[in-house]
């Protein structure tokens, strides 16, 4: 049930672990302002020593944005709340501005949190935002528009209709949490008015050139409440289905998938012949994106067609930059040889080919990072039914350091620090991991040797808890 008359209480944050503090994203609008004061009240009562930092992101897109950020800073100073304004500086893209601004916003918020040793950022997204998001994604799913979704992922049918997740892991390191997703905007504004707290009205919220304001106006019409209730119900159902599908896909990955060498995944033939084909297609979509280093999942219909071909016998196909080589000894997935990155000067913490996080030592100065090439597989001996040709192709696409035409072999032995470490990432979730997909993301991370997920910022994660209000 949605909260319709919130007061300053602990019910929004009772499941949180704020022992390391919290960053509140505050634009100065009603939703984020209400979030800030609710959170401050909660921490003052329950954890007075916890650090609370309000952060305002100035996107530098409107003449009045700096003054608005200063207003937020003044309000925070008046109430003894630490505040920081971070500016998205530099040139702005001419296309995809909303997506770029969102990426910059989350990046700056995550950097602010890490600088303070805080592992959770909270935002003021409400049930109204959720309904708008679901309805916009429904329009896209029906084919009337083809663009990125308004939040962290593109619209793609049932997955997108789950709406915004209660929490999203950004860059595999900082949680972005939305504790007010079950609360109406009008209720938050009523609370602020009763306490004499003002807020800033962002002019872009009523600018009909943008999709969300248009949807907001449509929800204010005669049938708005009915459409709102339907959208929220749809989000709850889609979220439950998405979580369940992810759980089943994770179980299949755990049962049938292995990684015999870097960049190579082997699936037992039985993977393609189980009863739960829906979960198998879900798992395959995520594995294809991970092996190929692709941010978004391949089209479900195309993956379903490939899966049906896998059931019929041997084949070799390419989808999502990934070669799928079905043989008697298993189904092998590895990065295709086309369009691999060209050699570039080695750079620390670079995301290479969308699938490897590179860490360098001082010994890598002046070196180049490029695919290992055919010689990269020489030190690996095929085993466990892995064809030598498959192994060679997989390892040839892995990153290596080069000095001119010489590939450096730093695979092991001795105590000397290695010049490069290459850590796998779960590509479709490397930047944004919605909490709906935690189990399947964790299963893929364990499979490929990616770092484990950081702990959730709240106690428990079930659909009956406070994180499932919407």
């Amino acid at each position: 049930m949605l909260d319709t008359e919130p007061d300053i209480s602990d019910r929004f944050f009772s499941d949180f672990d704020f022992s390391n503090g919290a960053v509140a994203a505050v634009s100065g609008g009603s939703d984020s302002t209400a979030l800030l004061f609710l959170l401050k009240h909660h921490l003052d009562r329950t954890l007075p020593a916890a650090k609370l930092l309000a952060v305002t992101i100035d996107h530098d897109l409107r003449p009045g944005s700096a003054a608005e950020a200063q207003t937020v800073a003044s309000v925070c100073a008046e109430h003894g709340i630490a505040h920081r304004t971070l500016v998205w500086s530099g040139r702005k893209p001419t296309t995809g501005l909303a997506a770029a601004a969102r990426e910059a916003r989350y990046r700056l918020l995550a950097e602010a949190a890490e600088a303070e040793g805080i592992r959770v950022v909270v935002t003021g997204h409400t049930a109204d935002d959720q309904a708008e998001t679901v309805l916009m994604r429904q329009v896209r799913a029906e084919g009337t528009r083809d663009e990125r979704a308004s939040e962290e992922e593109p619209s793609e049918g049932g997955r997108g209709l789950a709406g915004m997740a209660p929490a999203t892991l950004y860059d595999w390191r900082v949680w972005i949490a939305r504790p007010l997703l079950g609360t109406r905007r009008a209720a938050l504004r009523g609370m602020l008015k009763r306490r004499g707290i003002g807020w800033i009205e962002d002019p872009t919220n009523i600018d009909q050139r943008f999709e969300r304001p248009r949807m907001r106006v449509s929800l204010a019409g005669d049938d708005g409440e009915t459409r709102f209730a339907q959208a929220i119900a749809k989000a709850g159902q889609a979220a439950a289905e998405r979580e369940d599908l992810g759980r089943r896909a994770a179980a299949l990955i755990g049962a049938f998938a292995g990684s015999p060498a870097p960049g190579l995944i082997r699936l037992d033939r039985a993977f393609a012949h189980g009863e739960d084909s829906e979960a198998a297609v879900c798992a395959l979509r995520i594995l294809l994106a991970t092996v190929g280093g692709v941010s978004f999942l391949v089209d479900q219909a195309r993956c379903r067609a490939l899966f049906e071909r896998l059931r019929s016998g041997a084949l070799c196909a390419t989808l999502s930059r990934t070669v799928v080589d079905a043989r008697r000894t298993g189904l092998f997935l590895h990065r295709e040889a086309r369009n691999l990155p060209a050699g570039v000067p080695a750079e620390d913490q670079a995301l290479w080919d969308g699938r490897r996080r590179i860490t360098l030592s001082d010994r890598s100065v002046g070196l180049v990072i490029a695919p290992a090439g055919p010689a990269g597989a020489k030190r690996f001996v095929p085993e466990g039914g892995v064809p030598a040709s498959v192994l060679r192709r997989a390892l040839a696409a892995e990153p290596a350091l080069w000095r001119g035409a010489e590939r450096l072999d730093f695979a092991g032995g001795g105590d000397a620090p290695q010049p490069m470490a290459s850590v796998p990432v779960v590509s479709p979730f490397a930047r944004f991991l919605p909490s709906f997909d935690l189990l399947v993301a964790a299963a893929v991370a364990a499979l490929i040797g990616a770092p484990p997920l950081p702990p959730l910022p709240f106690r428990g994660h079930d659909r009956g808890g406070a994180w499932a209000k919407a």
Side-chain angles (χ1 to χ4, degrees), residues 341-356:
V344 294
E347 180 183 353
D348 191 41
Q349 293 303 309
L351 183 60
W352 188 84
D353 197 32
R355 56 195 176 96
R356 296 287 184 273

Side-chain angles (χ1 to χ4, degrees), residues 2 4 127-128 131 135 184-186 215-233:
L2 297 173
T4 55
D128 298 77
L135 290 173
R184 297 300 301 267
R185 177 173 294 118
M215 185 61 69
R216 192 164 293 164
V217 168
S218 75
L219 283 172
D222 293 339
D223 64 344
E225 286 302 309
T226 298
R227 295 180 67 209
F228 170 86
Q230 291 172 343
I232 292 298

Side-chain angles (χ1 to χ4, degrees), residues 7-95:
D7 54 11
I8 297 182
S9 69
D10 297 331
R11 71 177 178 274
F12 297 112
F13 311 108
S14 59
D15 289 341
F16 276 87
D17 176 9
F18 286 134
S19 57
N20 292 319
V23 166
V26 185
S27 67
S30 61
D31 304 346
S32 62
T33 299
L35 170 78
L36 178 64
F37 282 96
L38 287 166
L39 181 56
K40 182 179 187 303
H41 179 82
H42 172 77
L43 293 178
D44 286 348
R45 287 189 63 252
T46 63
L47 205 62
K51 184 182 301 182
L52 172 60
L53 174 64
V55 174
T56 301
I57 305 301
D58 178 2
H59 294 91
D60 195 24
L61 296 173
R62 293 183 289 106
S65 62
E68 292 171 1
Q70 183 54 52
T71 298
V72 177
S74 298
V75 170
C76 289
E78 180 183 349
H79 292 85
I81 302 171
H83 177 268
R84 185 176 304 160
T85 296
L86 300 176
V87 180
W88 181 30
S89 57
R91 297 181 61 183
K92 307 300 190 291
T94 56
T95 60

Side-chain angles (χ1 to χ4, degrees), residues 260-261 264-266 325-334 377 380-395:
L264 179 62
I265 288 177
R266 177 187 178 276
D325 193 341
R327 304 197 179 199
R328 180 181 56 80
T329 54
L331 313 175
F332 298 94
L333 312 181
H334 63 82
F380 284 87
V381 178
E383 58 183 29
V386 179
S389 60
V390 171
L391 180 65
R392 286 195 299 270
R393 287 194 292 268
L395 293 173

Side-chain angles (χ1 to χ4, degrees), residues 442-460:
V444 177
L447 171 67
I448 65 174
L453 293 169
L456 288 163
F458 47 86
R459 306 174 187 89

